[in-house]
Structure formats: structure tokens, C-alpha cells
Amino acid sequence: MFNNQYFKKYLKDRNVELSQHLSIDKFCTIQINPAEFESFVDTYRHEATVKSWHPRPFLSSMGNEQAINANWIGYNEHNTKESNWGLEDKHNQILKEIIGPSNFKILGIDMEKTLVRLLEYMPGHCLPLHSDGLEGFKKIYGNTKPTRFFVAVSPWDWGHILQVHDNIIAKWNPGDTYIIPPNVFHASVNFGIAPKYTLTITGINT
């Protein structure tokens, strides 16, 4: 029997209701070349962090509760597998160089106080409903209040979707950038036929 009562209560306790509209508009489009990121993936494939959505010791209690609720309703290693790069300083620095200083100026964040992560979701995998704890950023730069951006890398294709609260974001071009507001629930999915590459860029405003 399907039972999502715990996740629904978790959201209700935080006054998260899809009936309450939250406006999410495209922030900008930065100039990137998807082929450069695909080349990076080919070069550093063996160094990727490969994980699925489940509780982990370094997550906040909030993050782990969200993961437990997602696991309870069927999200597991078979449908939430993610490969990512950026938590290692070497990868973070290379990704920053690929993005380039001019794009960080457009975003209005300090390139030296930024964590860039390149995420790969293969067809049939997703990042379930969650709000960001920013654990990776805080571990490196401390407990500050950064801005988090979603940046499309792959050209939009079948089944590539980002939902931010009640907004369905699709039909993007490479470089299209959206701000993910703090504590706002969102989910990302690839139910298409091609890999989905995106960036999360988390940085301190200049």
C-alpha cells in the first residue's frame, strides 16, 4: 500500500503548499559551451562522486529527514543515481575555469568563494523533492548565506524537467540560469532519452 502521509505531513508542517504561487523567473543566460563540460566528464569520469538519494552522516537532520521520507515512498538507488563533480577542490577549480570570470561577474558572485558542481542524471533517474541544506558549500566556506543557481548545461531534450515549487521549468537553452531560493522545495528529473547535465553554482554575492 502506497503511503506518503509522512512526507505530506513534513511539507504541511512547513506550510509548503502548491496552491501558494511562488514566482520563479529566469535570472540570466551565461555563455557556456556544453561540449567543454562533456569533455570534462569524459576526462574525469573515474573521479566522479556517484551516489543515490539516501540518508548520510554529513547531511543535516533536515536533509536526512527528507531522504528518509523519499525512500519511504519508493525513491532508491535504482531511480536516483547521480554522478557529480565539484566537491573535490581540483574539480571545483577546473569547472570555474570552464565557466570563466566574465560569467561569475554576470551572476554577481565571488569566483573565489563559490562551489560549482556538475551533475549528471542518466535517463530514468531524478533528484526527488527536497530543499537545499548547502552542506558541501558550508563545509568549505563556512555557515554564510550564499546564492544558489541552477544552470542548464545540456540543450533541453525529452524528459528534462526542473520543478521549483509550483513552477515547471523546461525548454531551456545551455546557460539559462535560475536562482533557487533558500528553503524552497524543488526536484529535477530525466525521464528522457539523453543524459541531463546541469550545474549548481553556490556563491557569495559580490
Side-chain angles (χ1 to χ4, degrees):
M1 176 178 167
F2 183 74
N3 187 347
N4 65 356
Q5 63 173 311
Y6 301 110
F7 213 145
K8 290 177 71 173
K9 182 178 184 302
Y10 180 87
L11 297 173
K12 184 177 180 180
D13 288 346
R14 287 154 182 80
N15 195 33
V16 179
E17 296 285 350
L18 285 175
S19 60
Q20 300 171 357
H21 176 62
L22 177 67
S23 181
I24 301 290
D25 298 316
K26 186 170 72 173
F27 179 75
C28 68
T29 300
I30 62 175
Q31 299 303 308
I32 61 171
N33 181 354
E36 292 185 86
F37 293 95
E38 292 170 4
S39 177
F40 172 92
V41 168
D42 289 341
T43 301
Y44 297 102
R45 165 68 63 193
H46 63 291
E47 298 180 11
T49 298
V50 181
K51 64 180 181 64
S52 59
W53 194 237
H54 62 273
R56 284 160 284 168
F58 52 84
L59 291 182
S60 66
S61 58
M62 175 191 74
N64 277 326
E65 188 172 0
Q66 291 173 16
I68 290 167
N69 282 325
N71 291 163
W72 183 260
I73 58 177
Y75 291 102
N76 55 53
E77 68 274 15
H78 301 297
N79 54 28
T80 65
K81 184 178 178 182
E82 169 193 300
S83 296
N84 72 68
W85 298 261
L87 289 175
E88 296 290 336
D89 184 63
K90 177 180 75 172
H91 299 154
N92 190 31
Q93 297 303 323
I94 295 171
L95 290 169
K96 287 180 184 180
E97 292 171 7
I98 295 173
I99 295 168
S102 60
N103 282 322
F104 284 97
K105 289 182 179 178
I106 293 171
L107 297 175
I109 55 176
D110 186 344
M111 185 174 176
E112 300 304 316
K113 296 180 180 179
T114 297
L115 175 62
V116 178
R117 295 179 67 195
L118 175 63
L119 310 179
E120 176 192 66
Y121 285 91
M122 300 301 285
H125 290 267
C126 69
L127 181 57
L129 183 64
H130 69 286
S131 63
D132 294 323
L134 307 179
E135 290 91 351
F137 179 89
K138 291 176 181 178
K139 182 178 179 180
I140 300 170
Y141 298 110
N143 192 22
T144 57
K145 294 182 179 179
T147 300
R148 168 157 285 192
F149 300 92
F150 163 94
V151 182
V153 173
S154 306
W156 183 73
D157 207 335
W158 295 98
H160 291 188
I161 301 292
L162 172 69
Q163 180 173 353
V164 183
H165 195 71
D166 63 329
N167 302 269
I168 302 299
I169 299 170
K171 296 186 178 181
W172 56 62
N173 294 308
D176 283 356
T177 301
Y178 294 81
I179 291 177
I180 306 297
N183 304 315
V184 169
F185 280 79
H186 54 287
S188 185
V189 64
N190 179 3
F191 58 89
I193 60 175
K196 178 168 73 72
Y197 293 101
T198 60
L199 294 169
T200 59
I201 302 178
T202 311
I204 301 296
N205 293 342
T206 54

